[in-house]
Each structure stands twice: as C-alpha cells, then as structure tokens.
Amino acid sequence: MASPQLVDRFGRVHDYLRISLTERCNLRCFYCMPECGIELRDNAVFMTEEETIGIAKIFTELGVKKIRLTGGEPLVKKNAHELILGMSSLPVKMAITSNGVLVDRFIQTFEKAGLKTINISLDSIDKYKFNEITRRDYHDRIINNIHLLLSKGFRVKLNAVVIRGVNEVEIPQFIELTKSFDLSVRFIEFMPFDGNQWNWDKMLSYKEIMEHVASAYDQDDVIRLNDEPNDTSKNYKIKGFKGSFGIISPVSSPFCESCNRLRLTADGRLKNCLFGQEEFNLLEPFRNGEDIKPIILNAVQAKHKERGGITALDHTFADQKWANRSMTTIGG
Ligand code: SAM
Ligand code: SF4
C-alpha cells in the first residue's frame, strides 16, 4: 500500500476522494439544483469512463484508500455500470451516493463491485412533500428501491437535508424508521451554494435538530454512539431500535480539523474543499499525457484550514457562497 503523500500544511492526510460522475440528474432538488437548471455543456468537457478510472488510479498511487462516486446523479452517467465495475478493480474501498431512482437496475453491478453500503438521499417520507422538494415524481420508486437494497443485504444510509419550514417536523418520523429497519439516517445541515435559496433562517443547526429529537424521545433513551475516525456525523441511536441516526453539521460545527476528503468534479477539476473556490484542472494535463501528481500535491498544499477559507460564520458566509459552484456541479 502506498504511503500517504497527500498531507496538507495542517497535517491532515487525504485518503478519501469523492468523484462526481456527472453534473446531470433525474431529480431537481431545489436546494441543490438552481431553479433554471444547469448549463448543459458539451460531452467533451467531461471525463470519459477511461479518464475517470485513469485519474482515480493516480490518486490511489498517492495514498487514496476510499473513493465515493457521486454527482449529480451517478447512476444516470452513460456507462455507469462499466465505470462502477472498473473502479472496483482499484485498491480502494468504494462507496456510492445516489438518489435511489435507478437503484433497481444496478443491484447486480453493486454486488459484483463489492459495494456493501449504499447512501440514498431522501428528504421526506411524505410523497407530496418529496415531489415538491425534488420537482419530480419518483417517491414510490425510491422507497421500493430502499426496501430492495435492504432485502438484498446492503447496508443503507439515508441522507436527509433538514430545511426549516420544509421537513424539520419529520425528524422523529425518520428516526422511527430505525426502529424496525437496520438503517442509518443522517440529518444534514442545509449548506449555502450557488442559486440554492439558502439563508440562515432556513438552516436548522445540530443543536436544533437535537432539540427535535429531545421533544420526541426520553433523554435516557437517546444513546450517543462512538463515531468512526474522520466521521462527518455525530451518531446516536434510540435504545432498543435496530438502526441509528446521525447529524452532519458542516455549518454550525464544521469537521475541518479531521477532513480527509478531496473532490474531483465531472469535468476533471480537483477541489480541495467543498466550500473552496479554487479548482485545479487535472483533465487537460491528463489528456496531454502530463504527470498530474505535482498538481494534486500542490492542490493539497493549497488547502485552507477551514471551509475553503471562509472563516466568518456571519452574514459574509452567505455572501461568499456565490463564488462557488452549485452542489450538483461540485459533487456532494
Ligand atoms: N444525486 C445523489 C444524491 O442526491 O444522493 C448524489 C449527489 S447529491 C449532490 C449528494 C448529497 O448532497 C445528497 O445527500 C444531497 O442531499 C446533499 N446536498 C445537496 N445540496 C445540499 C445542500 N445545499 N446542503 C446540504 N446537503 C446538500
Ligand atoms: Fe440530484 Fe442529488 Fe442534487 Fe437532488 S441532491 S438534485 S438528487 S444531485
């Protein structure tokens, strides 16, 4: 196994790469996709299957041990089956985050690729509310696919972005799902990105999410679990329930100190932080046959201590977000 070379100025070892396979998506979640959609660009600007795997391989040579495929919706990518299988031949733990719409077509591919856990995003248990959030009508299909994954023995993590006035009342209902299903539900604080209708009032903090938990469950029944190293969620379970729940709080209590993540966008740009504005073009030099390792090392050295250099958690945080891409074009 390669020794870690992706160590930044703050001693953080970067061994986790999130790759966006595509900017496209079959849903239109209002908090992720700008209302007007995203500019559809020529296919030539995006990494091909071979380029994605080729660039990923170089990261593994530099010490990356885990790769998550994301997007946009990774399963709408042309050749997604081949890409998942090709990626699984690399010496990494592989993971995927999907909206679940197409999961039934990928069960065998997931099995062949050795995927054990599938992250599915589901922001509402209520079909009509879900349709409003996603501006599409796929709730039944996604729920069926979650059951399918569980019946096939996959571990499922359900991700829900909590937005005030939209779905915060469903926090206990989501946790109730963990009573009889061995699911992990993760509540994500709403983050600001280009054109996503974010403001402070809509954001429920970790503390506020826990207040909703406290209003539904006896304090003695809420058990704090040990978090994994580099875990972005603070994890809990309700006594006697099969599954667990966690809170991901990038806004109110960032986990930058233990960050081990890098991001590769579908157009082959390396981002050293989700909130960062800097991008490092890997695709063009890769296509020209150049060595991209020095660019990757340089990008890691350029990483800021916190949130891509956004330090102030006041109104300027909201202002600075506009210089970033939308979530669907970064890769969540
Ligand atoms: N399409 C896939 C999906 O929805 O799971 C993968 C891509 S999506 C961008 C990855 C994750 O980012 C999802 O769980 C989504 O809910 C989350 N996400 C998107 N925009 C967000 C925002 N503004 N704040 C917090 N989480 C967000
Ligand atoms: Fe698509 Fe995922 Fe963004 Fe929703 S959160 S629009 S499913 S990429």
Side-chain angles (χ1 to χ4, degrees):
M1 183 63 74
S3 61
Q5 296 178 55
L6 302 177
V7 184
D8 73 0
R9 294 176 292 147
F10 308 98
R12 294 172 294 198
V13 177
H14 293 77
D15 57 4
Y16 180 11
L17 177 67
R18 299 172 73 103
I19 303 179
S20 171
L21 296 189
T22 175
E23 296 180 351
R24 292 177 184 236
C25 189
N26 41 7
L27 299 185
R28 289 286 180 277
C29 307
F30 74 84
Y31 58 78
C32 176
M33 280 258 181
E35 198 159 3
C36 54
I38 52 158
E39 177 205 348
L40 292 180
R41 294 187 283 160
D42 194 275
N43 265 340
V45 307
F46 298 110
M47 295 184 292
T48 62
E49 177 194 332
E50 292 76 20
E51 287 164 345
T52 311
I53 295 170
I55 293 177
K57 184 166 178 289
I58 292 168
F59 277 91
T60 66
E61 289 163 8
L62 289 170
V64 162
K65 296 194 185 74
K66 178 173 174 182
I67 291 180
R68 176 172 299 282
L69 304 180
T70 178
E73 172 50 33
L75 302 185
V76 303
K77 171 81 176 174
K78 189 169 165 259
N79 294 348
H81 291 275
E82 292 76 8
L83 227 155
I84 294 168
L85 291 174
M87 201 64 80
S88 72
S89 66
L90 297 178
V92 282
K93 183 175 175 207
M94 214 176 63
I96 194 158
T97 300
S98 164
N99 60 28
V101 174
L102 297 174
V103 152
D104 49 306
R105 300 185 196 165
F106 282 82
I107 296 290
Q108 284 189 345
T109 303
F110 291 165
E111 285 172 344
K112 276 195 205 152
L115 281 161
K116 304 272 182 272
T117 305
I118 311 290
N119 287 15
I120 303 286
S121 304
L122 184 77
D123 300 314
S124 180
I125 298 166
D126 179 289
K127 177 175 170 164
Y128 300 99
K129 197 188 289 179
F130 182 83
N131 290 351
E132 259 177 51
I133 296 171
T134 61
R135 303 165 176 142
R136 293 289 183 274
D137 184 12
Y138 285 125
H139 194 259
D140 294 341
R141 198 159 153 181
I142 296 166
I143 298 293
N144 287 341
N145 279 341
I146 293 169
H147 286 293
L148 180 65
L149 285 169
L150 290 170
S151 72
K152 296 284 181 185
F154 290 98
R155 264 197 64 69
V156 176
K157 290 188 181 175
L158 281 189
N159 293 336
V161 179
V162 185
I163 303 176
R164 197 182 315 280
V166 176
N167 59 355
E168 80 274 31
V169 293
E170 291 189 62
I171 291 170
Q173 294 165 41
F174 269 109
I175 297 176
E176 278 302 297
L177 294 177
T178 69
K179 189 174 189 170
S180 38
F181 296 110
D182 188 8
L183 281 173
S184 164
V185 173
R186 283 115 49 91
F187 300 110
I188 308 175
E189 286 178 353
F190 182 26
M191 292 183 277
F193 291 100
D194 196 8
N196 80 343
Q197 306 179 25
W198 186 92
N199 66 47
W200 278 109
D201 297 336
K202 290 185 188 156
M203 212 265 322
L204 261 89
S205 66
Y206 169 45
K207 187 167 164 278
E208 290 170 295
I209 294 171
M210 285 311 288
E211 283 165 9
H212 280 268
V213 176
S215 68
Y217 298 98
D218 217 56
Q219 206 189 329
D220 293 342
D221 290 339
V222 182
I223 302 163
R224 179 76 167 94
L225 301 174
N226 290 329
D227 304 328
E228 301 284 322
N230 304 113
D231 219 338
T232 52
S233 56
K234 298 178 181 71
N235 300 297
Y236 295 84
K237 80 181 278 150
I238 303 296
K239 204 187 273 174
F241 283 20
K242 282 191 177 166
S244 60
F245 69 95
I247 294 144
I248 302 179
S249 52
V251 182
S252 75
S253 105
F255 26 81
C256 304
E257 215 172 286
S258 63
C259 182
N260 63 341
R261 285 169 293 277
L262 296 170
R263 291 182 148 81
L264 182 61
T265 62
D267 57 357
R269 266 66 175 171
L270 176 60
K271 282 181 80 81
N272 59 19
C273 175
L274 183 56
F275 290 111
Q277 294 165 24
E278 293 146 297
E279 299 185 352
F280 300 81
N281 189 345
L282 300 186
L283 183 55
E284 198 182 319
F286 184 82
R287 282 181 175 168
N288 292 336
E290 293 165 31
D291 181 9
I292 61 167
K293 281 183 182 167
I295 307 171
I296 299 173
L297 295 172
N298 180 32
V300 170
Q301 289 313 305
K303 180 157 170 159
H304 290 271
K305 191 172 179 195
E306 260 189 17
R307 288 199 204 93
I310 301 174
T311 46
L313 254 189
D314 53 21
H315 64 282
T316 61
F317 183 49
D319 295 340
Q320 288 172 77
K321 76 185 189 287
W322 301 113
N324 204 348
R325 296 178 178 221
S326 63
M327 183 65 136
T328 192
T329 61
I330 298 173

mmCIF file of all heavy atoms in Angstrom, residues 135-160:
data_model
loop_
_atom_site.group_PDB
_atom_site.id
_atom_site.type_symbol
_atom_site.label_atom_id
_atom_site.label_comp_id
_atom_site.label_asym_id
_atom_site.label_seq_id
_atom_site.Cartn_x
_atom_site.Cartn_y
_atom_site.Cartn_z
ATOM 1 N N ARG A 135 -39.106 18.314 -7.335
ATOM 2 C CA ARG A 135 -39.786 18.739 -8.572
ATOM 3 C C ARG A 135 -39.953 17.575 -9.561
ATOM 4 O O ARG A 135 -39.947 17.761 -10.782
ATOM 5 C CB ARG A 135 -39.000 19.879 -9.252
ATOM 6 C CG ARG A 135 -38.759 21.117 -8.378
ATOM 7 C CD ARG A 135 -37.686 21.981 -9.026
ATOM 8 N NE ARG A 135 -37.432 23.226 -8.361
ATOM 9 C CZ ARG A 135 -36.198 23.745 -8.233
ATOM 10 N NH1 ARG A 135 -35.154 23.104 -8.694
ATOM 11 N NH2 ARG A 135 -36.027 24.900 -7.645
ATOM 12 N N ARG A 136 -40.017 16.367 -9.017
ATOM 13 C CA ARG A 136 -40.227 15.161 -9.822
ATOM 14 C C ARG A 136 -41.102 14.189 -9.032
ATOM 15 O O ARG A 136 -41.326 14.390 -7.847
ATOM 16 C CB ARG A 136 -38.879 14.474 -10.169
ATOM 17 C CG ARG A 136 -37.968 15.260 -11.102
ATOM 18 C CD ARG A 136 -38.518 15.310 -12.523
ATOM 19 N NE ARG A 136 -37.635 15.999 -13.451
ATOM 20 C CZ ARG A 136 -37.610 17.326 -13.654
ATOM 21 N NH1 ARG A 136 -38.409 18.126 -12.962
ATOM 22 N NH2 ARG A 136 -36.781 17.856 -14.544
ATOM 23 N N ASP A 137 -41.536 13.085 -9.676
ATOM 24 C CA ASP A 137 -42.489 12.180 -9.024
ATOM 25 C C ASP A 137 -41.910 10.757 -8.937
ATOM 26 O O ASP A 137 -42.380 9.845 -9.610
ATOM 27 C CB ASP A 137 -43.789 12.203 -9.860
ATOM 28 C CG ASP A 137 -44.892 11.376 -9.229
ATOM 29 O OD1 ASP A 137 -44.750 10.971 -8.055
ATOM 30 O OD2 ASP A 137 -45.902 11.118 -9.916
ATOM 31 N N TYR A 138 -40.902 10.595 -8.084
ATOM 32 C CA TYR A 138 -40.245 9.285 -8.012
ATOM 33 C C TYR A 138 -40.263 8.681 -6.602
ATOM 34 O O TYR A 138 -39.500 7.759 -6.325
ATOM 35 C CB TYR A 138 -38.777 9.414 -8.452
ATOM 36 C CG TYR A 138 -38.578 9.567 -9.938
ATOM 37 C CD1 TYR A 138 -37.868 10.646 -10.448
ATOM 38 C CD2 TYR A 138 -39.068 8.605 -10.831
ATOM 39 C CE1 TYR A 138 -37.656 10.786 -11.815
ATOM 40 C CE2 TYR A 138 -38.860 8.739 -12.190
ATOM 41 C CZ TYR A 138 -38.153 9.828 -12.680
ATOM 42 O OH TYR A 138 -37.945 9.952 -14.019
ATOM 43 N N HIS A 139 -41.083 9.225 -5.716
ATOM 44 C CA HIS A 139 -41.018 8.794 -4.316
ATOM 45 C C HIS A 139 -41.257 7.293 -4.156
ATOM 46 O O HIS A 139 -40.466 6.597 -3.502
ATOM 47 C CB HIS A 139 -42.030 9.603 -3.489
ATOM 48 C CG HIS A 139 -41.833 9.489 -2.016
ATOM 49 N ND1 HIS A 139 -42.603 8.676 -1.226
ATOM 50 C CD2 HIS A 139 -40.953 10.066 -1.179
ATOM 51 C CE1 HIS A 139 -42.220 8.775 0.031
ATOM 52 N NE2 HIS A 139 -41.209 9.618 0.086
ATOM 53 N N ASP A 140 -42.329 6.785 -4.776
ATOM 54 C CA ASP A 140 -42.668 5.354 -4.606
ATOM 55 C C ASP A 140 -41.508 4.481 -5.072
ATOM 56 O O ASP A 140 -41.159 3.497 -4.434
ATOM 57 C CB ASP A 140 -43.912 4.984 -5.438
ATOM 58 C CG ASP A 140 -45.148 5.698 -4.919
ATOM 59 O OD1 ASP A 140 -45.120 6.157 -3.758
ATOM 60 O OD2 ASP A 140 -46.134 5.806 -5.680
ATOM 61 N N ARG A 141 -40.970 4.879 -6.187
ATOM 62 C CA ARG A 141 -39.888 4.084 -6.765
ATOM 63 C C ARG A 141 -38.669 4.052 -5.831
ATOM 64 O O ARG A 141 -38.043 3.013 -5.634
ATOM 65 C CB ARG A 141 -39.507 4.751 -8.095
ATOM 66 C CG ARG A 141 -38.747 3.860 -8.985
ATOM 67 C CD ARG A 141 -38.879 4.394 -10.385
ATOM 68 N NE ARG A 141 -37.710 3.997 -11.146
ATOM 69 C CZ ARG A 141 -37.520 4.329 -12.403
ATOM 70 N NH1 ARG A 141 -38.413 5.068 -13.027
ATOM 71 N NH2 ARG A 141 -36.449 3.932 -13.037
ATOM 72 N N ILE A 142 -38.360 5.183 -5.244
ATOM 73 C CA ILE A 142 -37.205 5.260 -4.342
ATOM 74 C C ILE A 142 -37.451 4.430 -3.080
ATOM 75 O O ILE A 142 -36.579 3.678 -2.642
ATOM 76 C CB ILE A 142 -36.891 6.737 -3.989
ATOM 77 C CG1 ILE A 142 -36.474 7.484 -5.260
ATOM 78 C CG2 ILE A 142 -35.807 6.831 -2.911
ATOM 79 C CD1 ILE A 142 -36.449 8.997 -5.133
ATOM 80 N N ILE A 143 -38.669 4.534 -2.539
ATOM 81 C CA ILE A 143 -38.988 3.750 -1.325
ATOM 82 C C ILE A 143 -38.863 2.256 -1.650
ATOM 83 O O ILE A 143 -38.260 1.492 -0.888
ATOM 84 C CB ILE A 143 -40.416 4.080 -0.804
ATOM 85 C CG1 ILE A 143 -40.510 5.565 -0.411
ATOM 86 C CG2 ILE A 143 -40.817 3.160 0.353
ATOM 87 C CD1 ILE A 143 -39.695 5.992 0.784
ATOM 88 N N ASN A 144 -39.395 1.843 -2.802
ATOM 89 C CA ASN A 144 -39.267 0.427 -3.194
ATOM 90 C C ASN A 144 -37.802 0.033 -3.315
ATOM 91 O O ASN A 144 -37.409 -1.062 -2.918
ATOM 92 C CB ASN A 144 -39.959 0.169 -4.543
ATOM 93 C CG ASN A 144 -41.466 0.197 -4.394
ATOM 94 O OD1 ASN A 144 -41.984 0.056 -3.282
ATOM 95 N ND2 ASN A 144 -42.178 0.405 -5.489
ATOM 96 N N ASN A 145 -37.010 0.923 -3.858
ATOM 97 C CA ASN A 145 -35.593 0.605 -4.041
ATOM 98 C C ASN A 145 -34.837 0.527 -2.711
ATOM 99 O O ASN A 145 -33.900 -0.253 -2.572
ATOM 100 C CB ASN A 145 -34.936 1.617 -4.984
ATOM 101 C CG ASN A 145 -35.217 1.272 -6.436
ATOM 102 O OD1 ASN A 145 -35.577 0.128 -6.744
ATOM 103 N ND2 ASN A 145 -35.058 2.240 -7.324
ATOM 104 N N ILE A 146 -35.264 1.322 -1.750
ATOM 105 C CA ILE A 146 -34.632 1.231 -0.418
ATOM 106 C C ILE A 146 -34.939 -0.145 0.178
ATOM 107 O O ILE A 146 -34.044 -0.833 0.694
ATOM 108 C CB ILE A 146 -35.127 2.375 0.505
ATOM 109 C CG1 ILE A 146 -34.608 3.710 -0.027
ATOM 110 C CG2 ILE A 146 -34.688 2.143 1.963
ATOM 111 C CD1 ILE A 146 -35.231 4.944 0.623
ATOM 112 N N HIS A 147 -36.200 -0.585 0.052
ATOM 113 C CA HIS A 147 -36.566 -1.924 0.555
ATOM 114 C C HIS A 147 -35.805 -3.012 -0.207
ATOM 115 O O HIS A 147 -35.358 -3.990 0.385
ATOM 116 C CB HIS A 147 -38.080 -2.144 0.446
ATOM 117 C CG HIS A 147 -38.841 -1.375 1.483
ATOM 118 N ND1 HIS A 147 -38.756 -1.649 2.829
ATOM 119 C CD2 HIS A 147 -39.686 -0.323 1.378
ATOM 120 C CE1 HIS A 147 -39.529 -0.815 3.504
ATOM 121 N NE2 HIS A 147 -40.089 0.021 2.652
ATOM 122 N N LEU A 148 -35.651 -2.804 -1.517
ATOM 123 C CA LEU A 148 -34.918 -3.784 -2.324
ATOM 124 C C LEU A 148 -33.475 -3.917 -1.831
ATOM 125 O O LEU A 148 -32.961 -5.026 -1.645
ATOM 126 C CB LEU A 148 -34.947 -3.342 -3.795
ATOM 127 C CG LEU A 148 -34.230 -4.234 -4.799
ATOM 128 C CD1 LEU A 148 -34.896 -5.610 -4.888
ATOM 129 C CD2 LEU A 148 -34.228 -3.578 -6.190
ATOM 130 N N LEU A 149 -32.834 -2.790 -1.602
ATOM 131 C CA LEU A 149 -31.444 -2.824 -1.117
ATOM 132 C C LEU A 149 -31.359 -3.574 0.207
ATOM 133 O O LEU A 149 -30.480 -4.420 0.402
ATOM 134 C CB LEU A 149 -30.910 -1.393 -0.930
ATOM 135 C CG LEU A 149 -30.551 -0.627 -2.198
ATOM 136 C CD1 LEU A 149 -30.289 0.845 -1.886
ATOM 137 C CD2 LEU A 149 -29.324 -1.236 -2.883
ATOM 138 N N LEU A 150 -32.296 -3.265 1.115
ATOM 139 C CA LEU A 150 -32.270 -3.927 2.426
ATOM 140 C C LEU A 150 -32.492 -5.430 2.269
ATOM 141 O O LEU A 150 -31.804 -6.238 2.889
ATOM 142 C CB LEU A 150 -33.335 -3.319 3.354
ATOM 143 C CG LEU A 150 -33.051 -1.885 3.830
ATOM 144 C CD1 LEU A 150 -34.271 -1.302 4.540
ATOM 145 C CD2 LEU A 150 -31.828 -1.828 4.755
ATOM 146 N N SER A 151 -33.431 -5.794 1.376
ATOM 147 C CA SER A 151 -33.730 -7.219 1.207
ATOM 148 C C SER A 151 -32.547 -7.967 0.578
ATOM 149 O O SER A 151 -32.408 -9.168 0.743
ATOM 150 C CB SER A 151 -34.990 -7.417 0.366
ATOM 151 O OG SER A 151 -34.694 -7.089 -0.991
ATOM 152 N N LYS A 152 -31.717 -7.232 -0.151
ATOM 153 C CA LYS A 152 -30.540 -7.857 -0.781
ATOM 154 C C LYS A 152 -29.323 -7.823 0.148
ATOM 155 O O LYS A 152 -28.214 -8.172 -0.249
ATOM 156 C CB LYS A 152 -30.180 -7.139 -2.092
ATOM 157 C CG LYS A 152 -31.245 -7.242 -3.146
ATOM 158 C CD LYS A 152 -31.249 -8.626 -3.786
ATOM 159 C CE LYS A 152 -32.296 -8.738 -4.872
ATOM 160 N NZ LYS A 152 -32.397 -10.089 -5.420
ATOM 161 N N GLY A 153 -29.519 -7.347 1.353
ATOM 162 C CA GLY A 153 -28.436 -7.391 2.350
ATOM 163 C C GLY A 153 -27.482 -6.208 2.326
ATOM 164 O O GLY A 153 -26.444 -6.241 2.987
ATOM 165 N N PHE A 154 -27.807 -5.145 1.584
ATOM 166 C CA PHE A 154 -26.950 -3.951 1.612
ATOM 167 C C PHE A 154 -27.227 -3.166 2.891
ATOM 168 O O PHE A 154 -28.360 -3.155 3.385
ATOM 169 C CB PHE A 154 -27.248 -3.026 0.419
ATOM 170 C CG PHE A 154 -26.809 -3.585 -0.892
ATOM 171 C CD1 PHE A 154 -27.714 -4.230 -1.730
ATOM 172 C CD2 PHE A 154 -25.486 -3.483 -1.301
ATOM 173 C CE1 PHE A 154 -27.314 -4.748 -2.951
ATOM 174 C CE2 PHE A 154 -25.079 -4.001 -2.530
ATOM 175 C CZ PHE A 154 -25.992 -4.637 -3.346
ATOM 176 N N ARG A 155 -26.201 -2.502 3.400
ATOM 177 C CA ARG A 155 -26.454 -1.538 4.475
ATOM 178 C C ARG A 155 -26.890 -0.240 3.798
ATOM 179 O O ARG A 155 -26.333 0.139 2.768
ATOM 180 C CB ARG A 155 -25.175 -1.281 5.294
ATOM 181 C CG ARG A 155 -25.091 -2.141 6.551
ATOM 182 C CD ARG A 155 -24.084 -1.607 7.534
ATOM 183 N NE ARG A 155 -24.400 -0.280 8.076
ATOM 184 C CZ ARG A 155 -25.404 -0.011 8.895
ATOM 185 N NH1 ARG A 155 -26.199 -0.963 9.317
ATOM 186 N NH2 ARG A 155 -25.614 1.217 9.329
ATOM 187 N N VAL A 156 -27.890 0.408 4.338
ATOM 188 C CA VAL A 156 -28.382 1.633 3.708
ATOM 189 C C VAL A 156 -28.225 2.797 4.672
ATOM 190 O O VAL A 156 -28.579 2.701 5.843
ATOM 191 C CB VAL A 156 -29.873 1.487 3.301
ATOM 192 C CG1 VAL A 156 -30.411 2.797 2.747
ATOM 193 C CG2 VAL A 156 -30.040 0.372 2.267
ATOM 194 N N LYS A 157 -27.649 3.874 4.159
ATOM 195 C CA LYS A 157 -27.622 5.122 4.911
ATOM 196 C C LYS A 157 -28.558 6.086 4.198
ATOM 197 O O LYS A 157 -28.406 6.312 2.994
ATOM 198 C CB LYS A 157 -26.202 5.706 4.944
ATOM 199 C CG LYS A 157 -25.254 4.885 5.813
ATOM 200 C CD LYS A 157 -23.928 5.579 5.987
ATOM 201 C CE LYS A 157 -22.992 4.736 6.830
ATOM 202 N NZ LYS A 157 -21.643 5.318 6.933
ATOM 203 N N LEU A 158 -29.500 6.625 4.926
ATOM 204 C CA LEU A 158 -30.440 7.588 4.337
ATOM 205 C C LEU A 158 -30.005 8.991 4.711
ATOM 206 O O LEU A 158 -29.846 9.289 5.896
ATOM 207 C CB LEU A 158 -31.843 7.383 4.916
ATOM 208 C CG LEU A 158 -32.712 6.250 4.395
ATOM 209 C CD1 LEU A 158 -34.123 6.405 4.952
ATOM 210 C CD2 LEU A 158 -32.742 6.234 2.870
ATOM 211 N N ASN A 159 -29.813 9.844 3.723
ATOM 212 C CA ASN A 159 -29.399 11.230 3.985
ATOM 213 C C ASN A 159 -30.579 12.172 3.780
ATOM 214 O O ASN A 159 -31.200 12.157 2.715
ATOM 215 C CB ASN A 159 -28.295 11.661 3.007
ATOM 216 C CG ASN A 159 -27.005 10.906 3.247
ATOM 217 O OD1 ASN A 159 -26.747 10.416 4.342
ATOM 218 N ND2 ASN A 159 -26.178 10.816 2.222
ATOM 219 N N ALA A 160 -30.842 12.998 4.782
ATOM 220 C CA ALA A 160 -31.925 13.985 4.640
ATOM 221 C C ALA A 160 -31.382 15.368 4.976
ATOM 222 O O ALA A 160 -30.838 15.583 6.067
ATOM 223 C CB ALA A 160 -33.067 13.636 5.592
#
